[in-house]
Amino acid sequence: MPSKGGPAVRSVFTFRATRQVLARRWAIPLFLLIAGVFAFAAMVMGGMLVFARTGYTHLTIIVLTSASGGAAWWNYPGVIVGFPNGGLFLPFFGTLTMLIVSIGVGVGMSVAVILWTRIVTLRRLAASGNVAVGSLAGLTPAFLSLATIGACCTITTSTAAGLGVVAQTSGTTAYTLLANNWFLGVFEIVVLAIALLAHEALLETYGPLLGLTTAPNGRAVHLPDATPTPAPLSGATIARAAVRVVLLLGGVFWGLAGIGLAATYNYPFSSPSFWFAVLVQHELIAAVAVFIAILPGAASQGLVRASRSIAGAGLRAVLFVAGISVVAWLPPAWLGTGAEGLVNELFGTAGLPASWGAVAPPYGMGLALVLRFGCQFGLMGSFALLLALLPARTLAWASTDRVRVSQRTEVAPAAGRPAGE
């Protein structure tokens, strides 16, 4: 049964429900197949695995430890494996990224396949009268969300490598990305991790009703014994869902923009303004936005518990400072390392002098600049300010309508086996 406040934070970040879904005899072979196919395709399309005349007449392995001058340090140590009519090139970070993304895609797609098979089974049970048709129809939107988000994360990570898209959404340039291509790998890993966390939050809520997972109390709620009553679809429901989607996307891209500062500003690690820009302006706001988008119930409960504590007051104070600095103006002494506000870039667009705190945006007038001002600086800065000043009202706009379940019995799963097995 869905918990009153939504899925628990610990359960989501340890992927408890996902591990239960994959604890099936045919799930691991399915995962290995999907991950292997994706990894092979990624190596071929990314140029890591080449089938052509390379000049090697026998198996040759070359280990590269570094490049001259430390260029492209993220590629080392690397391995080149040459063989007749082909070669395998394994740069360090590129190979690590491929493995992580392949594992994530394998997990997401495997769970999606299992969920789709569960949907088909439930529809057959409904047709035979073993499951109430109303119950199945009431949960159909949740089924579709669960079954497709795993597939969507695959599409997202495979298309995220477009240089133009990544550059514009992260506030950097295509030239910078070409010179520091490690950022593309970070982009893919972050997007995939967020997709899998959202997938896990849905599984924690609806998995027990599907008979695929157990509830946090160790019991399973089977659909024939439960009558789900989903909240009615209203304008407020749609608005709250839209707010969560916007917060999720805005938080992901704003956090990645902070990571991109390391590439754009050549690692000015000794500058306090650089750390303020990365940790406070970008990563703090992004982390809070993503957390609220994925787990609004847990965020609301945490706010209630921390409202009268020193830590809660401190977090709101830091969010206030971060929000003001993003939507307003920073003095010229803080500029030059990525610490800048919306007004600073508006001054730069208007051609005002640097003595006024003007900072030229990374690209000229156009849709990309409008999105940067509105969906990054404006959205994230305003969100931080509202959360600091009006936390309860702000979180109310991101909360979800709960699915109420009236049930006659709770059936404990067989010992040692996941629910639904």
Side-chain angles (χ1 to χ4, degrees), residues 127-167:
S128 63
N130 292 329
V131 174
V133 177
S135 298
L136 182 60
L139 282 177
T140 296
F143 291 172
L144 296 178
S145 298
L146 282 166
T148 56
I149 194 169
C152 287
C153 71
T154 302
I155 298 173
T156 303
T157 52
S158 62
T159 58
L163 282 176
V165 175
V166 179

Side-chain angles (χ1 to χ4, degrees), residues 27-70:
I28 298 303
L30 178 64
F31 158 75
L32 294 175
L33 175 63
I34 295 175
V37 170
F38 184 89
F40 178 80
M43 287 190 293
V44 172
M45 296 178 64
M48 296 173 68
L49 179 60
V50 177
F51 295 101
R53 293 184 177 180
T54 58
Y56 293 103
T57 57
H58 58 279
L59 182 64
T60 304
I61 300 177
I62 302 174
V63 178
L64 304 176
T65 56
S66 64
S68 176

Side-chain angles (χ1 to χ4, degrees), residues 134-276:
S135 298
L136 182 60
L139 282 177
T140 296
F143 291 172
L144 296 178
S145 298
L146 282 166
T148 56
I149 194 169
C152 287
C153 71
T154 302
I155 298 173
T156 303
T157 52
S158 62
T159 58
L163 282 176
V165 175
V166 179
Q168 293 182 7
T169 55
S170 60
T172 182
T173 63
Y175 175 80
T176 299
L177 292 180
L178 287 173
N180 301 274
N181 56 18
W182 59 267
F183 186 64
L184 295 174
V186 173
F187 191 98
E188 289 185 287
I189 292 173
V190 170
V191 170
L192 179 62
I194 297 299
L196 290 178
L197 285 173
H199 198 192
E200 174 67 18
L202 282 171
L203 274 178
E204 282 285 342
T205 301
Y206 295 103
L209 292 177
L210 299 175
L212 289 171
T213 64
T214 58
N217 60 6
R219 295 177 171 239
V221 180
H222 294 295
L223 195 58
D225 301 313
T227 304
T229 306
L233 186 63
S234 62
T237 304
I238 296 175
R240 282 193 288 266
V243 167
R244 293 179 65 192
V245 171
V246 170
L247 280 180
L248 181 62
L249 294 177
V252 169
F253 293 137
W254 188 242
L256 289 168
I259 298 176
L261 290 179
T264 304
Y265 289 92
N266 196 27
Y267 309 98
F269 291 146
S270 60
S271 170
S273 61
F274 170 81
W275 289 112
F276 176 79

Side-chain angles (χ1 to χ4, degrees), residues 248-346:
L248 181 62
L249 294 177
V252 169
F253 293 137
W254 188 242
L256 289 168
I259 298 176
L261 290 179
T264 304
Y265 289 92
N266 196 27
Y267 309 98
F269 291 146
S270 60
S271 170
S273 61
F274 170 81
W275 289 112
F276 176 79
V278 173
L279 298 181
V280 178
Q281 284 191 310
H282 286 271
E283 303 310 326
L284 173 64
I285 298 178
V288 173
V290 170
F291 181 76
I292 292 176
I294 294 179
L295 296 169
S300 299
Q301 290 181 353
L303 175 66
V304 171
R305 289 194 297 266
S307 58
R308 297 182 180 179
S309 67
I310 298 178
L315 176 61
R316 290 177 60 182
V318 175
L319 283 173
F320 178 80
V321 172
I324 283 289
S325 68
V326 170
V327 299
W329 176 86
L330 287 178
W334 278 76
L335 306 178
T337 57
E340 58 200 43
L342 176 60
V343 176
N344 296 105
E345 291 208 356
L346 288 175

